[in-house]
Amino acid sequence: MRVAVIGGGPGGLYFAALAKRLSPAWDITLWERDAQDDASGFGVVFSDETLEGIAQADPEVFAAMSARFARWSDIDVRYAGQVRTSGGHGFAALDRNRLREILQRRCAALGVDVRYRTPAPPVEDLSAGYDLVVAADGVRSATRQTYARSFCPDLDERGCRYMWLATDRVFEAFTFIVENRDFGVLQVHAYPFDGRRSTFIVEIEENAWRRAGFEALAAREFTRGESDHESVRRCEELLAGHLDGHRLIPNASRWIRFTTVRNGCWRHENVVLLGDAAHTAHFSIGSGTKLAMEDALALAASLHEHPTVDGALAAYEAERRPVVESTQRAAQASLEWFENVGRYTGQAPDQFAFNLLTRSRRVTYGNLRARDPEFVRAVDASFDASFDAGLGGAAQTREAAVPPMFRPLRLAGLDLRNRVVVPPLATYSATDGLPGTLQQTQLAAQCLGGAGLVFAGMTAVSADGRATRGCAGLYTDEQESAWRRIVSAIRELCDTPLGIQLTHAGRRASTALPGPDGVGRPLGADGWATLAASALPWDADSPAPREATPTDLAAVTRDFARAAARADRAGFDVLELQFGHGHLLSGFLSPLTNRRTDAYGGTLRRRLRLPLEVLAAVRAVWPAGKPLAVRISATDWAEGGTTEAQAVEICRALAAAGADVIDVSTGEVVAHQRPRYGRSYQTPFADLIRNGTGIPTIAVGAISSYDDANSIVLAGRADLVAVGRAHLYDPLWTLHAAAEQGYTGPGARWPLPWQPGSRKPAGPRADRVPPRLHLLREPAAPVHRRWQPPPPARPPAATAPTAAH
């Protein structure tokens, strides 16, 4: 095999070394345009998982790296003039230039032909002359550009400015600095990487960057390798209180924007991308060097395990892509958190620190409690104090260690015993809009299951507003009576508050019951005419709806108000209006589905007109003491759709018109949507609305663990957490979550006949008591470990010359 490697960063060098170690007969040539000893960058951070892989793959490299590591376990959050510390994390950092030296020596020892100060030949020539070309040529990869049609790159340049620096102040922990200045928020990501220096990344939002005067300082072209010294001095002035008399050290340091690199494919014939050329992840959750070295290990292993280059490259991408995409999802959440950090600068220091630490959704309440129980206890106590302050300063008597999801909440005039909501879950079991036995049984089970609030699902305000023939309605006296019987029957079992969601399905009406894929197909000739803001079909297979006339709109408003009055008489405690998911009112809000030119279309103010008219009519008949919720789609997941700023404006208008809480969902507005699915993927939008407006929110969407529920509530991302499919899997999900956490307080009330089962059952071999197998017990690792550089080696003492004999 003849292998060409483009780029002599850690990823390219490590791949060359591993491949040569596995296959000494291979001819491996690496091209690097810079000199061997050119300094580039500062420190890099590794996880224990990555280091374990390096130790197994090449013990010599690992040993050389370990001798230079700075290690610590604490994270310091400096905010509002205070410091909060969370321990038990575990970090290892290394000077990037020392790492390159180690890998350069390893390549030389193994016989890799490394050509410094030598730009690589054109990739087309390398592809023709070598069996394999590994492009480790960085975030601005020329290889990726050459074969852009094959790689299909997606480069997402973000809005914040940041600058890589070092400082001769040696921090003792990973340190986040967040300062709220007159020009905006200034933040720093800092960590030590040897006994003399720390990496110091300064980040600032674009408009704040301009107001701080950096735009004028950076208003010229810089040559390759040149630093923006004026901006560096300005940063030193602004952050002097954290530098403690130390200086900032530039190295080709200037303001840049972070670019998230994604590629549709990582390989073209015998050319493969590695590291930043293939993908990037924001520096706030880790190191690009770490990802590149993991790539290198996987690529070398795949080439060793598969007989053909094509098979090896396919295996490499299949193995690495899911890992990288998972990392990028976490990085995106972290990146967006820091881009919008100004939303949270009103939080108390303890909650802010918890919010920061859990921003990527990889670190959670339970995870932090396992690492540093004292830190979580402090955050819990702060949360309790803020809750008591909201009740007028009267401290409440409550048992210790209440998980956040089991804290009570007052919503309008209704007291909820905990923060868990069972969202509207359609059963498609109604006949002529009449809810049946399955609907009653499901609601009863979920109300007995411990949630603080349970919603009946997707109830139509008119016959033609049903999504399917199996959808329940609330537009006839018979339906009202049926719902009253259901509510009364459940009230005999428990006092869990019951809500109902009212909707008109709009152009999503007149469909068959959903099949195994969850999609309901249009009924066609067997269906009924549909109504929408504009005469736009859902997709190519759907009939065009009729554009609603002013008469239709008045009728819809009247139908919602009548259904709301019926819901009150039936005994429901909470009402939710469906203004999302492409239903009729959602269709008026989105610019993608509202093409009207009258008073109900065009600007956002006009698109809001019908939803606000409906809300006003409902508010007029729905009692003030009963909460009124509105569900929205905060994004359409499609170009040209509702923006974040518009979602905030919509929610402000809804709150001003009488909505007590916003149920924040996303999407299902247009068929060509492209959602970014993932665990709790919609929670950032609930966070946006709550912290951007102060309006209470419900987070919903792919939330299925009590750990996520606790994290969302304690971080202040939402006030309530809707758990849907997990309640279909286990109607007693909330009570079981309490049992798992050892919680037995009033926030988790077991029905009396079930109380003997309120403890988690013993598992297999639960009665086994293991023997002692160690003569001396290993001491527990300390929760808090600070980086304390070893003292510099003393020169050997001078000795007196001896006489020659």
Side-chain angles (χ1 to χ4, degrees), residues 513-528:
L513 301 185
D517 60 357
V519 177
R521 304 292 188 264
L523 288 173
D526 295 331
W528 55 92

PDB file of all heavy atoms in Angstrom, residues 513-528:
ATOM      1  N   LEU A 513     -56.764   6.943   9.681  1.00  0.00           N
ATOM      2  CA  LEU A 513     -56.047   6.705  10.937  1.00  0.00           C
ATOM      3  C   LEU A 513     -54.581   6.437  10.630  1.00  0.00           C
ATOM      4  O   LEU A 513     -54.259   5.770   9.630  1.00  0.00           O
ATOM      5  CB  LEU A 513     -56.641   5.515  11.685  1.00  0.00           C
ATOM      6  CG  LEU A 513     -58.122   5.610  12.081  1.00  0.00           C
ATOM      7  CD1 LEU A 513     -58.503   4.398  12.922  1.00  0.00           C
ATOM      8  CD2 LEU A 513     -58.398   6.895  12.836  1.00  0.00           C
ATOM      9  N   PRO A 514     -53.662   6.938  11.460  1.00  0.00           N
ATOM     10  CA  PRO A 514     -52.231   6.734  11.176  1.00  0.00           C
ATOM     11  C   PRO A 514     -51.873   5.263  11.098  1.00  0.00           C
ATOM     12  O   PRO A 514     -52.380   4.428  11.852  1.00  0.00           O
ATOM     13  CB  PRO A 514     -51.549   7.398  12.380  1.00  0.00           C
ATOM     14  CG  PRO A 514     -52.545   8.381  12.887  1.00  0.00           C
ATOM     15  CD  PRO A 514     -53.883   7.756  12.651  1.00  0.00           C
ATOM     16  N   GLY A 515     -50.986   4.955  10.139  1.00  0.00           N
ATOM     17  CA  GLY A 515     -50.500   3.586   9.986  1.00  0.00           C
ATOM     18  C   GLY A 515     -49.288   3.335  10.876  1.00  0.00           C
ATOM     19  O   GLY A 515     -48.980   4.128  11.764  1.00  0.00           O
ATOM     20  N   PRO A 516     -48.564   2.245  10.634  1.00  0.00           N
ATOM     21  CA  PRO A 516     -47.388   1.911  11.458  1.00  0.00           C
ATOM     22  C   PRO A 516     -46.319   3.000  11.438  1.00  0.00           C
ATOM     23  O   PRO A 516     -45.540   3.124  12.391  1.00  0.00           O
ATOM     24  CB  PRO A 516     -46.866   0.618  10.813  1.00  0.00           C
ATOM     25  CG  PRO A 516     -48.046   0.041  10.111  1.00  0.00           C
ATOM     26  CD  PRO A 516     -48.862   1.203   9.643  1.00  0.00           C
ATOM     27  N   ASP A 517     -46.278   3.794  10.369  1.00  0.00           N
ATOM     28  CA  ASP A 517     -45.287   4.865  10.287  1.00  0.00           C
ATOM     29  C   ASP A 517     -45.755   6.135  10.988  1.00  0.00           C
ATOM     30  O   ASP A 517     -45.044   7.150  10.994  1.00  0.00           O
ATOM     31  CB  ASP A 517     -44.953   5.183   8.827  1.00  0.00           C
ATOM     32  CG  ASP A 517     -46.169   5.627   8.017  1.00  0.00           C
ATOM     33  OD1 ASP A 517     -47.289   5.627   8.571  1.00  0.00           O
ATOM     34  OD2 ASP A 517     -45.989   5.956   6.826  1.00  0.00           O
ATOM     35  N   GLY A 518     -46.940   6.110  11.581  1.00  0.00           N
ATOM     36  CA  GLY A 518     -47.448   7.265  12.301  1.00  0.00           C
ATOM     37  C   GLY A 518     -48.060   8.325  11.428  1.00  0.00           C
ATOM     38  O   GLY A 518     -48.436   9.401  11.906  1.00  0.00           O
ATOM     39  N   VAL A 519     -48.183   8.077  10.134  1.00  0.00           N
ATOM     40  CA  VAL A 519     -48.688   9.065   9.185  1.00  0.00           C
ATOM     41  C   VAL A 519     -50.093   8.679   8.725  1.00  0.00           C
ATOM     42  O   VAL A 519     -50.341   7.529   8.361  1.00  0.00           O
ATOM     43  CB  VAL A 519     -47.746   9.190   7.970  1.00  0.00           C
ATOM     44  CG1 VAL A 519     -48.321  10.175   6.948  1.00  0.00           C
ATOM     45  CG2 VAL A 519     -46.360   9.622   8.414  1.00  0.00           C
ATOM     46  N   GLY A 520     -51.001   9.659   8.741  1.00  0.00           N
ATOM     47  CA  GLY A 520     -52.351   9.435   8.227  1.00  0.00           C
ATOM     48  C   GLY A 520     -52.462   9.924   6.794  1.00  0.00           C
ATOM     49  O   GLY A 520     -52.167  11.082   6.505  1.00  0.00           O
ATOM     50  N   ARG A 521     -52.853   9.053   5.873  1.00  0.00           N
ATOM     51  CA  ARG A 521     -52.960   9.412   4.463  1.00  0.00           C
ATOM     52  C   ARG A 521     -54.294  10.114   4.182  1.00  0.00           C
ATOM     53  O   ARG A 521     -55.285   9.861   4.864  1.00  0.00           O
ATOM     54  CB  ARG A 521     -52.844   8.162   3.588  1.00  0.00           C
ATOM     55  CG  ARG A 521     -51.571   7.341   3.817  1.00  0.00           C
ATOM     56  CD  ARG A 521     -50.332   8.106   3.343  1.00  0.00           C
ATOM     57  NE  ARG A 521     -49.130   7.272   3.366  1.00  0.00           N
ATOM     58  CZ  ARG A 521     -48.255   7.239   4.368  1.00  0.00           C
ATOM     59  NH1 ARG A 521     -48.452   7.977   5.430  1.00  0.00           N
ATOM     60  NH2 ARG A 521     -47.183   6.478   4.298  1.00  0.00           N
ATOM     61  N   PRO A 522     -54.336  10.994   3.194  1.00  0.00           N
ATOM     62  CA  PRO A 522     -55.594  11.683   2.859  1.00  0.00           C
ATOM     63  C   PRO A 522     -56.703  10.685   2.519  1.00  0.00           C
ATOM     64  O   PRO A 522     -56.461   9.663   1.860  1.00  0.00           O
ATOM     65  CB  PRO A 522     -55.217  12.528   1.638  1.00  0.00           C
ATOM     66  CG  PRO A 522     -53.734  12.669   1.694  1.00  0.00           C
ATOM     67  CD  PRO A 522     -53.216  11.419   2.323  1.00  0.00           C
ATOM     68  N   LEU A 523     -57.913  10.992   2.958  1.00  0.00           N
ATOM     69  CA  LEU A 523     -59.055  10.119   2.668  1.00  0.00           C
ATOM     70  C   LEU A 523     -59.534  10.260   1.229  1.00  0.00           C
ATOM     71  O   LEU A 523     -60.234   9.389   0.713  1.00  0.00           O
ATOM     72  CB  LEU A 523     -60.210  10.449   3.622  1.00  0.00           C
ATOM     73  CG  LEU A 523     -60.019  10.012   5.075  1.00  0.00           C
ATOM     74  CD1 LEU A 523     -61.150  10.547   5.936  1.00  0.00           C
ATOM     75  CD2 LEU A 523     -59.942   8.496   5.176  1.00  0.00           C
ATOM     76  N   GLY A 524     -59.170  11.356   0.588  1.00  0.00           N
ATOM     77  CA  GLY A 524     -59.571  11.541  -0.810  1.00  0.00           C
ATOM     78  C   GLY A 524     -61.066  11.706  -0.945  1.00  0.00           C
ATOM     79  O   GLY A 524     -61.708  12.456  -0.194  1.00  0.00           O
ATOM     80  N   ALA A 525     -61.651  10.965  -1.877  1.00  0.00           N
ATOM     81  CA  ALA A 525     -63.083  11.102  -2.170  1.00  0.00           C
ATOM     82  C   ALA A 525     -63.945  10.691  -0.989  1.00  0.00           C
ATOM     83  O   ALA A 525     -65.114  11.090  -0.894  1.00  0.00           O
ATOM     84  CB  ALA A 525     -63.429  10.274  -3.399  1.00  0.00           C
ATOM     85  N   ASP A 526     -63.404   9.874  -0.088  1.00  0.00           N
ATOM     86  CA  ASP A 526     -64.173   9.427   1.069  1.00  0.00           C
ATOM     87  C   ASP A 526     -64.135  10.432   2.214  1.00  0.00           C
ATOM     88  O   ASP A 526     -64.780  10.221   3.250  1.00  0.00           O
ATOM     89  CB  ASP A 526     -63.631   8.082   1.575  1.00  0.00           C
ATOM     90  CG  ASP A 526     -63.837   6.966   0.560  1.00  0.00           C
ATOM     91  OD1 ASP A 526     -64.817   7.068  -0.208  1.00  0.00           O
ATOM     92  OD2 ASP A 526     -63.011   6.029   0.532  1.00  0.00           O
ATOM     93  N   GLY A 527     -63.359  11.501   2.048  1.00  0.00           N
ATOM     94  CA  GLY A 527     -63.190  12.459   3.126  1.00  0.00           C
ATOM     95  C   GLY A 527     -64.098  13.655   2.995  1.00  0.00           C
ATOM     96  O   GLY A 527     -65.132  13.616   2.316  1.00  0.00           O
ATOM     97  N   TRP A 528     -63.732  14.735   3.658  1.00  0.00           N
ATOM     98  CA  TRP A 528     -64.511  15.952   3.648  1.00  0.00           C
ATOM     99  C   TRP A 528     -63.609  17.120   3.258  1.00  0.00           C
ATOM    100  O   TRP A 528     -62.376  17.033   3.301  1.00  0.00           O
ATOM    101  CB  TRP A 528     -65.163  16.210   5.011  1.00  0.00           C
ATOM    102  CG  TRP A 528     -64.204  16.250   6.175  1.00  0.00           C
ATOM    103  CD1 TRP A 528     -63.591  17.342   6.697  1.00  0.00           C
ATOM    104  CD2 TRP A 528     -63.772  15.140   6.970  1.00  0.00           C
ATOM    105  NE1 TRP A 528     -62.805  16.998   7.759  1.00  0.00           N
ATOM    106  CE2 TRP A 528     -62.899  15.646   7.960  1.00  0.00           C
ATOM    107  CE3 TRP A 528     -64.049  13.755   6.941  1.00  0.00           C
ATOM    108  CZ2 TRP A 528     -62.291  14.831   8.920  1.00  0.00           C
ATOM    109  CZ3 TRP A 528     -63.433  12.952   7.896  1.00  0.00           C
ATOM    110  CH2 TRP A 528     -62.568  13.475   8.862  1.00  0.00           C
TER     111      TRP A 528
END
